[in-house]
Amino acid sequence: MALNIDFADETGKFGEHEMNLLDGLLRFAAKEEGLEGEAELSVTVVSNEAIQELNRAYRGKDQPTDVISFAMEEKGEGETELIGEGLPRVLGDIVISAEKTAEQAEAYGHSFDRELGFLAVHGFLHLLGYDHMTKEEEERMFSRQREILDSYGLER
């Protein structure tokens, strides 16, 4: 399994430590989820203002949020699946608010790394088709997140 991750920090607040954490954790999560072949995704760290714009434009919610995922493999009604032989699987994009990460780490009483890991895995699982629209989906997704984070060593 080869996972290509494109990182961008639009805030300038993330250093080598945070990028290495995201890289290692997402590769670990991909392995734990049994991802096969070659795949790619992007992770972008933004400000509250930037994520609020995305949240408003794509979810109709005019407020900052912690993480938004844009899954490339989700098909809308009437869309056709495009399959390119020999091309990597394009999972999509994860966008994380640096400010919300820090705010929530403090509010929940755990480390910045734990909150960053939680948001990254949450976004990653959304790219793989997990959701939390129903109680059953929520239990499945949040249980899986906890398993991955705990196994990686980012326990609460």
Side-chain angles (χ1 to χ4, degrees), residues 22-58:
L22 289 170
D23 185 75
L25 178 57
L26 290 171
R27 290 180 192 287
F28 179 80
K31 183 178 176 188
E32 290 293 299
E33 282 297 300
L35 214 59
E36 295 181 359
E38 190 175 353
E40 59 185 48
L41 65 97
S42 74
V43 178
T44 305
V45 178
V46 298
S47 66
N48 271 351
E49 292 78 22
I51 208 161
Q52 181 171 346
E53 288 178 30
L54 292 171
N55 204 21
R56 180 178 47 245
Y58 293 97

Side-chain angles (χ1 to χ4, degrees), residues 12-142:
K13 294 180 180 179
F14 277 33
E16 189 175 339
H17 169 78
E18 291 82 6
M19 294 305 177
N20 287 337
L21 172 66
L22 289 170
D23 185 75
L25 178 57
L26 290 171
R27 290 180 192 287
F28 179 80
K31 183 178 176 188
E32 290 293 299
E33 282 297 300
L35 214 59
E36 295 181 359
E38 190 175 353
E40 59 185 48
L41 65 97
S42 74
V43 178
T44 305
V45 178
V46 298
S47 66
N48 271 351
E49 292 78 22
I51 208 161
Q52 181 171 346
E53 288 178 30
L54 292 171
N55 204 21
R56 180 178 47 245
Y58 293 97
R59 298 180 64 226
K61 297 181 179 186
D62 193 12
Q63 62 191 33
T65 190
D66 49 10
V67 62
I68 294 179
S69 297
F70 298 97
M72 294 299 289
E73 294 183 332
E74 283 183 4
K75 291 187 311 219
E77 190 173 323
E79 290 181 349
T80 305
E81 183 175 4
L82 298 176
I83 300 172
E85 194 169 320
L87 297 176
R89 180 178 173 190
V90 180
L91 300 176
D93 307 307
I94 301 169
V95 182
I96 299 173
S97 166
E99 293 159 283
K100 281 287 186 185
T101 304
E103 291 168 14
Q104 290 176 179
E106 184 175 328
Y108 298 140
H110 55 237
S111 71
F112 181 86
D113 285 358
R114 170 58 168 79
E115 186 64 18
L116 179 60
F118 174 87
L119 296 175
V121 170
H122 185 87
F124 180 72
L125 291 178
H126 273 305
L127 296 184
L128 297 182
Y130 285 79
D131 212 339
H132 45 86
M133 300 300 286
T134 68
K135 186 71 175 161
E136 294 79 22
E137 289 175 337
E138 180 178 315
E139 287 175 8
R140 178 176 175 254
M141 182 173 185
F142 281 77

